[in-house]
Amino acid sequence: MPPMSHPLNPKRTVAELKELRALTSDDHGAQRVAFTETWLKARGWLRQKMVGLPLEIHDDAAGNTWFTLRGESDKALLIGGHMDSVPNGGWLDGCLNVLAGIEILRRINAQYQGKPPVTVRVVDWADEEGARFGKSLFGSSACSGNLDMNEARGLADKGGVKLPDALKSVGIDFERVKDSGVELKNAAAYLELHIEQGPVLLDLNLPLGAVLGTFGVERHAITFHGQAAHSGSTPMNRRKDAFLAAARMSPEVYQIATRSGNGVCTIGSCNTKPGIVTSVVEECRITLDQRHLDATALAKMLQEAKAASEKFAKEGNVKASWERLWQIAPRPFNEELIAFCDEAIRETCGKSHRLPSGPLHDAAEVAFAGVPTVMMFVQSLHGISHNKIEDTKEEHLEMCVAAFDKLAEKTMGWVQKR
Ligand SMILES: [Zn+2]
């Protein structure tokens, strides 16, 4: 028998989160920006927490830290998070995931006397936030193989420091970061806990939710080309009004989102030329951001928006042109793991809810690499993150550690049988 029948101590996780906050925050919030002194301090503190556990600890080629508890089998259950924060960030984003993972390692170590049926690894991903170089998911995308090396090589911070030089200063060789992919060799499942960072669970008055996957995104600029003309002398029926076509298209864009089920569409900007009060608009450029969890539904949303732009351009006697700004495919999570996540939540607090993730997370990269993945969300107060007011009720924090631990145990059994 292990020394204690219930070695999981969620209150300890909350206490450690507070300890980390005191160590790495100032009056404006958390300051654990990746590759800075404060980040290194947070990581050193984390390693200190492992003293006494029979773990192998090392940094991989991309600077991700791996804490490994060897099991009977080499097949590994991975639990991930990130110690880095945005500047003036919150006290939970990223580090909750890591510290919950550590608490689960302690429980598993105690329950299985240091030798669980499968290997269990906690990973602290390097630079999830991308706060300094504008590129998020650095460590996990290097590990998944998805990182665009040419793009990343040219990234510089506000002070002109190039990413490869910043990495060098913390002992990472940029040209070798993808060697970190070897870490996923025996990965059989990946779990990540995270604050929701949005208002969905708060509005439903539920503490926890099972995440279905991360949204795919299609981001485009649409330009309507008409003709400038005097606003006094040009009769209404003779105008080629680029703004009018864009304006007529707008309600249709929101209809497309409604018809799509769970998709969202945003027209985030509108610029007109010549942009003066006495001229019909010659050129109107709007930006459109469309997101959906289902790739087919996302493609349909895009196709419908294109058809709408053609229709309203034709009706207004103007032309429409499209330019793709950015895209990423949806990353649906593993069905069986989603079911385990639901189950773990119901066993902990009675009711679960399934929801997609609007923000990207390291989990999206691990799923991209083909590892069965799921995330669990815990309610965010105010529905807000990346801000020092980011918060979650302590009882919900304790609940999420307990539920996440149940999910880890279920997943360990699943990995063992596969
Ligand atoms: Zn995060």
Side-chain angles (χ1 to χ4, degrees), residues 105-120:
L105 269 186
R106 291 175 182 136
R107 191 273 299 168
I108 291 173
N109 178 57
Q111 184 172 336
Y112 296 97
Q113 287 98 51
K115 199 80 180 168
V118 305
T119 297
V120 185

Side-chain angles (χ1 to χ4, degrees), residues 79-83 94-95 97-98 122-126 190 192-193 362:
I79 298 173
H82 58 94
M83 294 299 279
C95 52
N97 338 0
V98 179
V122 170
V123 53
D124 168 23
W125 299 110
Y190 177 83
E192 188 173 332
L193 172 69
D362 293 310

Side-chain angles (χ1 to χ4, degrees), residues 82 84 93-94 97 128-129 192 194-195 197 360-361 386:
H82 58 94
D84 74 300
D93 183 354
N97 338 0
E128 190 272 349
E129 298 288 3
E192 188 173 332
H194 209 283
I195 50 167
Q197 305 178 287
L360 285 166
H361 291 286
H386 286 190

Side-chain angles (χ1 to χ4, degrees), residues 117-287:
V118 305
T119 297
V120 185
R121 311 182 74 195
V122 170
V123 53
D124 168 23
W125 299 110
D127 199 9
E128 190 272 349
E129 298 288 3
R132 184 166 161 199
F133 295 96
K135 171 90 190 157
S136 50
L137 312 180
F138 168 76
S140 55
S141 65
C143 187
S144 75
N146 200 25
L147 180 71
D148 182 333
M149 294 295 282
N150 286 330
E151 186 197 358
R153 196 176 285 113
L155 293 173
D157 69 8
K158 278 188 198 137
V161 179
K162 289 268 174 67
L163 175 64
D165 294 328
L167 292 175
K168 204 171 170 187
S169 72
V170 292
I172 301 167
D173 175 359
F174 173 76
E175 297 303 330
R176 288 190 47 237
V177 294
K178 285 196 175 179
D179 292 357
S180 59
V182 68
E183 302 291 340
L184 296 182
K185 204 175 116 214
N186 293 316
Y190 177 83
L191 308 176
E192 188 173 332
L193 172 69
H194 209 283
I195 50 167
E196 185 204 325
Q197 305 178 287
V200 175
L201 293 171
L202 182 69
D203 288 348
L204 291 166
N205 198 21
L206 290 174
L208 304 171
V211 185
L212 294 162
T214 55
F215 274 154
V217 184
E218 285 283 359
R219 208 170 278 170
H220 290 83
I222 308 150
T223 308
F224 291 92
H225 308 271
Q227 190 173 52
H230 194 287
S231 63
S233 64
T234 320
M236 297 307 283
N237 65 350
R238 295 289 303 275
R239 296 180 178 203
K240 297 176 178 174
D241 188 336
F243 174 76
L244 185 62
R248 283 186 168 150
M249 179 179 166
S250 305
E252 179 59 19
V253 163
Y254 297 105
Q255 286 299 317
I256 289 168
T258 306
R259 283 201 299 273
S260 76
N262 292 314
V264 289
C265 296
T266 306
I267 296 176
S269 70
C270 175
N271 285 294
T272 59
K273 283 183 193 164
I276 54 170
V277 71
T278 51
S279 175
V280 172
V281 170
E282 178 175 23
E283 196 179 291
C284 182
R285 184 180 192 266
I286 58 174
T287 56

Side-chain angles (χ1 to χ4, degrees), residues 218 295 336 416:
E218 285 283 359
E336 287 174 85
Q416 194 183 5

